[in-house]
Amino acid sequence: MGSWKLSQEHFGHPGVMENASFSLGRALWAFLLAILGSTTGQPLAGESVCTARPLARYSVAFIGKWSQTAFPKQYPLFRPPAQWSSLLGAAHSSDYSMWRKSEYVSNGMRDFAERGEAWALMKEIEAAGEKLQSVHAVFSAPAVLSGTGQTSTELEVHPRHSLVSFVVRIVPSPDWFVGIDSLDLCEGGRWKERVVLDLYPHDAGTDSGFTFSSPNFATIPQDTVTEITASSPSHPANSFYYPRLKSLPPIAKVTFVRLRQSPRAFAPPALDLASRGNEIVDSLSVPETPLDCEVSLWSSWGLCGGPCGKLGAKSRTRYVRVQPANNGTPCPELEEETECAPDNCV
């Protein structure tokens, strides 16, 4: 907003100038209050306004479902084994976005998705809270050091900051993560009691690796966030490529449950992003994803050998690239032989 200036030549007399300054100052102050009161942390045009009670507190449970049974292809068993990074999230209004499908991620989100480094992303969240007043609280949960397990935390939401976003990095991976974008825990005039969501892998669009253990290879120019599916990217080397499936099973899920506690000062959990999570294996309804055998191309035919005046034989071989799992298509024969006329008979 531009600066406001008053001078005697505008009003002609010092008394008039003082009265005009006072009136204009009050009008300007009222205008600023109206602007700040109507826009800071409020939903954008066309979005519903939350009229629920002032504050609500929720427990958040993140459950990893990344098992070798559900995702057998290239499942990481060591260096490092399949696991989940710390969870980092925020309760915010509609004028803040941590990440969004089909949009470019921020530098902080890139660092988190590629290396699990949370510092830059936390600074971005803090800056949004200070500058736009669009973030009410930051919350986190410890890492889960296996593909299947659970971690939990608590968060507080406010009617003007009823949206929740978070991210968890898939480890190891190029720049893959799971999370939610702007989940509204308010529905009209009430807070939702319980929300359960299945989570699927996403690509941050900053690294071009196809497999869990791919070396760092920056995507230039940077791409937007995309959901990874059983058929996209449509490359046989992709660790999530399962052409027999219509859709991937959920790789994780999150549950929000409203806590019935009397209102009191809320102390956000400490951002302990390195400690071990409460690992509880989720063994209920684990899907078995069939993994078909994959073999290499045939080698060249070998030399034809045999006695003179008779038919000889030559052979070729191939090797197994992916072992079958969970009743997938078994491997075919790996060696083939055919008759031939000996080149060098004995």
Side-chain angles (χ1 to χ4, degrees):
M1 180 176 292
S3 59
W4 290 78
K5 296 182 179 180
L6 297 174
S7 64
Q8 291 190 27
E9 66 178 343
H10 285 109
F11 297 96
H13 189 275
V16 175
M17 182 188 73
E18 292 173 2
N19 292 336
S21 298
F22 179 75
S23 299
L24 184 55
R26 292 183 58 186
L28 179 57
W29 180 244
F31 174 74
L32 289 174
L33 287 177
I35 291 296
L36 292 173
S38 63
T39 62
T40 302
Q42 290 294 326
L44 299 175
E47 295 183 6
S48 59
V49 177
C50 178
T51 58
R53 298 182 67 179
L55 298 174
R57 196 172 180 182
Y58 284 84
S59 66
V60 185
F62 172 87
I63 300 176
K65 305 179 74 173
W66 185 17
S67 68
Q68 191 171 9
T69 303
F71 300 92
K73 187 174 183 181
Q74 304 166 2
Y75 189 81
L77 296 174
F78 53 90
R79 298 183 182 177
Q83 57 190 276
W84 301 95
S85 78
S86 305
L87 178 152
L88 181 60
H92 59 90
S93 60
S94 57
D95 49 7
Y96 171 75
S97 175
M98 178 177 288
W99 66 275
R100 188 151 293 166
K101 191 175 178 181
S102 301
E103 294 186 7
Y104 297 103
V105 298
S106 65
N107 290 334
M109 181 63 192
R110 179 198 61 206
D111 290 349
F112 190 86
E114 289 189 7
R115 297 182 296 276
E117 296 176 0
W119 178 253
L121 182 56
M122 289 170 59
K123 294 298 288 183
E124 290 174 355
I125 297 173
E126 179 183 349
E130 292 178 351
K131 183 177 180 180
L132 301 176
Q133 298 184 18
S134 57
V135 175
H136 175 69
V138 179
F139 61 95
S140 72
V144 179
L145 302 184
S146 63
T148 58
Q150 176 174 310
T151 187
S152 60
T153 186
E154 294 182 4
L155 71 95
E156 183 187 74
V157 287
H158 181 273
R160 289 188 297 146
H161 304 87
S162 61
L163 306 181
V164 175
S165 297
F166 74 79
V167 287
V168 182
R169 180 175 182 256
I170 298 174
V171 182
S173 74
D175 60 343
W176 302 341
F177 67 95
V178 299
I180 57 173
D181 166 36
S182 302
L183 168 68
D184 198 343
L185 292 176
C186 181
E187 192 170 43
R190 65 182 183 86
W191 295 109
K192 296 177 180 178
E193 296 297 325
R194 179 183 174 90
V195 179
V196 180
L197 295 174
D198 288 330
L199 304 177
Y200 298 89
H202 284 75
D203 188 319
T206 62
D207 194 293
S208 297
F210 273 122
T211 67
F212 296 120
S213 57
S214 293
N216 184 36
F217 185 67
T219 301
I220 301 175
Q222 181 177 330
D223 203 352
T224 58
V225 174
T226 56
E227 181 177 342
I228 301 172
T229 69
S231 57
S232 178
S234 57
H235 193 291
N238 192 322
S239 294
F240 286 112
Y241 184 69
Y242 294 95
R244 287 179 56 178
L245 299 182
K246 290 185 178 179
S247 61
L248 289 175
I251 196 171
K253 76 174 181 180
V254 64
T255 301
F256 296 87
V257 177
R258 188 183 175 197
L259 299 176
R260 294 293 186 181
Q261 296 180 348
S262 57
R264 62 175 182 266
F266 176 71
L271 294 179
D272 182 6
L273 299 177
S275 62
R276 186 181 181 93
N278 179 23
E279 296 183 13
I280 303 174
V281 175
D282 179 24
S283 59
L284 300 177
S285 64
V286 176
E288 284 196 357
T289 300
L291 182 62
D292 297 337
C293 177
E294 294 181 14
V295 295
S296 67
L297 298 176
W298 286 109
S299 66
S300 300
W301 287 103
L303 295 175
C304 182
C308 294
K310 294 183 179 180
L311 288 175
K314 61 182 179 180
S315 64
R316 61 179 182 176
T317 60
R318 56 186 173 184
Y319 60 90
V320 176
R321 297 176 59 184
V322 177
Q323 291 285 355
N326 304 330
N327 298 314
T329 303
C331 294
E333 293 294 330
L334 301 179
E335 185 172 356
E336 186 176 62
E337 191 174 272
T338 187
E339 294 180 335
C340 60
D343 297 320
N344 298 309
C345 57
V346 292

